[in-house]
Amino acid sequence: MEFFENIGKIRYEGKGATTPFAFRFYNPDEVIAGKTMREQLRFAMSYWHTMCAEGTDMFGTGTIAKTYGATDPMESAKNKAHAAFELMNKLDIDYFCFHDRDIAPEGDTLRESNARLDVIADLLGELMAKHGKKVLWGTANCFGNKRYMHGAGTAPNADVFAFAAAQIKKAIEITVKLGGEGYVFWGGREGYETLLNTDMAREQQNMAYLMRMAVDYARSIGFQGDFYIEPKPKEPTKHQYDFDAATVLAFLRKYGLDKDFKLNIEANHATLAGHTFQHELRVAADNGVFGSIDANQGDPALGWDTDQFPTNVYDTALCMYEVLRAGGFTHGGLNFDAKTRRGSNSPEDIFLSYIAGMDAYALGLRVADKMMRDGRLNDFVKARYASYESGIGKKIADGTATMAELEAYALAMGDVSTNQSGRQEYLEHVLNELMFFG
Ligand code: XLS
Ligand code: CA
Ligand code: CA
């Protein structure tokens, strides 16, 4: 059964493409910066937005049909799986990411939910083998069900904690069974609304313990991939514990989790935290925890998580610049945690949105490669810090200077005689040149 009958395989047609159902910039087998674009970008489909989200919002019901021709929830889940692989094949996407509850509907009991997961995971395994697709990462939805109204790993109720642990154990088993390269913790409701009812220290300690148990269990059943925490500052709770990359880093180090965990940086979450996407990526990379990316974009005029398909090439270029600087992905990739707008409600829109996002990242990679090869930006930064390469600066960089020595140096100097321009506008202009010439 074909679910997207009107749409054929999307191919690279380049500049002369005449149909919207073609890639203009994403040429999977073209080598850029030493690897094929396919290897550099490692695109993944998000199961939840793509196969499940029907376009509901606070004010209205769904506008996009996602039952795939079935009424029974398990039949629908099976059809969804077939439709997912058709979509990935047609878009030439190699990976997917999923929450447990995206792939199989929750049952009345944990036992029933797990049995349903087993059925669908077996089907996914067969389809993966048949179509050569892989799991970038799996995760557990520990936020949707009302039992998680106060959080999961940070719940004040130990029974809820236990339930979450059981659910995560199963999600890890499924991820490992399907050969997943990563496992994500996004702290759905791991945060709080008011300290008047919250023991923050206990909640964070419990969360760390849940993560420690998850790591130990996953390693015991052979998982060799990366764990990720996905920072997000707010929504749904007012204070999400995983606010941003720096906050998560402090948490990981405090609890000794930094050897097993890396970060999954989402563009829209970065902007919600008041940072640029590039900033969050740099914090992760500089601290050895750059892992994976949720590729989407927010709307600067809106203060919430709009999860739009990424089309802003400045952002994708600066993102891919960070990825290339960090040496590329290892287990991670670009997961399109993005949904079509509620008004973009036809199956064609899903394809057009993925094409837009994939092409925006392909363009970003092409620009980032030019930025690296051109070298002007890197050289500028290097020259800006040249004073630390010799003399007193080298002593500071080596950590051998003392306060007394620096005082003597400053007294002899009288005052700082030169301070060179930071040339921000010029550098932004260089970026434009690299983006739009040639
Ligand atoms: C929600 C998050 C979520 C995670 C996976 O804002 O982006 O979708 O990526 O649980
Ligand atoms: Ca995300
Ligand atoms: Ca999001």
Side-chain angles (χ1 to χ4, degrees), residues 212 215-216 219 225-228 256-262:
R212 179 81 264 152
V215 168
D216 291 346
R219 299 294 183 221
D226 286 328
F227 282 89
Y228 304 115
L257 293 163
D258 49 321
K259 300 284 170 294
D260 293 284
F261 276 84
K262 293 193 165 68

Side-chain angles (χ1 to χ4, degrees), residues 80-387:
K80 214 169 266 193
H82 287 283
F85 283 80
E86 182 187 330
L87 189 136
M88 286 187 276
N89 279 337
K90 288 185 170 174
L91 283 164
D92 207 352
I93 291 178
D94 296 331
Y95 294 88
F96 65 100
C97 299
F98 67 91
H99 300 82
D100 48 0
R101 303 303 179 237
D102 307 334
I103 59 171
E106 185 159 12
D108 291 333
T109 62
L110 184 61
R111 204 177 295 281
E112 188 186 11
S113 299
N114 287 350
R116 288 177 168 190
L117 266 177
D118 284 333
V119 171
I120 302 295
D122 285 347
L123 173 60
L124 291 177
E126 284 165 27
L127 291 167
M128 286 168 68
K130 183 169 167 201
H131 298 288
K133 304 293 177 199
K134 291 168 271 187
V135 169
L136 190 69
W137 50 259
T139 188
N141 178 333
C142 291
F143 44 87
N145 189 289
K146 67 181 189 305
R147 83 176 67 85
Y148 297 125
M149 64 190 238
H150 301 303
T154 65
N157 177 346
D159 286 353
V160 176
F161 183 100
F163 199 103
Q167 193 182 326
I168 289 167
K169 175 174 178 286
K170 184 69 183 175
I172 289 173
E173 287 164 6
I174 299 278
T175 303
V176 173
K177 192 171 161 193
L178 294 177
E181 297 191 31
Y183 185 87
V184 162
F185 280 86
W186 167 60
R189 293 184 193 278
E190 315 297 15
Y192 69 91
E193 302 298 327
T194 172
L195 285 175
L196 295 176
N197 67 12
T198 301
D199 181 345
M200 186 160 76
R202 182 194 285 274
E203 292 199 356
Q204 291 199 277
Q205 186 178 326
N206 284 351
M207 191 69 224
Y209 182 53
L210 180 56
M211 289 178 175
R212 179 81 264 152
M213 287 192 293
V215 168
D216 291 346
Y217 179 66
R219 299 294 183 221
S220 80
I221 60 168
F223 179 62
Q224 291 176 353
D226 286 328
F227 282 89
Y228 304 115
I229 291 185
E230 180 180 323
K232 182 175 183 181
K234 53 194 163 200
E235 198 201 33
T237 73
K238 177 173 166 181
H239 295 277
Q240 294 277 132
Y241 290 132
D242 301 335
F243 189 95
D244 63 358
T247 310
V248 170
L249 200 59
F251 172 86
L252 292 175
R253 287 178 179 166
K254 175 172 178 180
Y255 293 103
L257 293 163
D258 49 321
K259 300 284 170 294
D260 293 284
F261 276 84
K262 293 193 165 68
L263 303 190
N264 181 40
I265 301 292
E266 177 176 319
N268 202 163
H269 297 180
T271 48
L272 288 178
H275 298 306
T276 60
F277 184 22
Q278 192 187 10
H279 168 88
E280 288 292 85
L281 292 164
R282 182 72 64 91
V283 171
D286 280 354
N287 289 286
V289 291
F290 167 65
S292 201
I293 289 176
D294 270 11
N296 62 11
Q297 70 186 27
D299 186 316
L302 301 175
W304 61 91
D305 196 14
T306 55
D307 286 341
Q308 290 165 233
F309 274 89
T311 51
N312 183 323
V313 180
Y314 282 99
D315 283 345
T316 61
L318 292 173
C319 168
M320 290 313 298
Y321 186 56
E322 293 306 312
V323 174
L324 292 182
R325 286 185 78 229
F329 290 113
T330 45
H331 290 127
L334 290 165
N335 168 45
F336 286 102
D337 189 355
K339 59 188 177 209
T340 55
R341 298 305 82 197
R342 190 165 180 269
S344 304
N345 67 338
S346 73
E348 286 79 13
D349 284 301
I350 296 175
F351 282 84
L352 293 171
S353 302
Y354 267 96
I355 293 167
M358 292 165 78
D359 260 353
Y361 264 94
L363 258 175
L365 172 62
R366 290 177 188 280
V367 174
D369 175 48
K370 278 203 237 171
M371 291 164 74
M372 299 287 281
R373 283 188 289 113
D374 175 86
R376 268 177 292 172
L377 297 169
N378 191 49
D379 291 349
F380 186 91
V381 175
K382 201 162 183 302
R384 194 169 181 226
Y385 295 89
S387 63

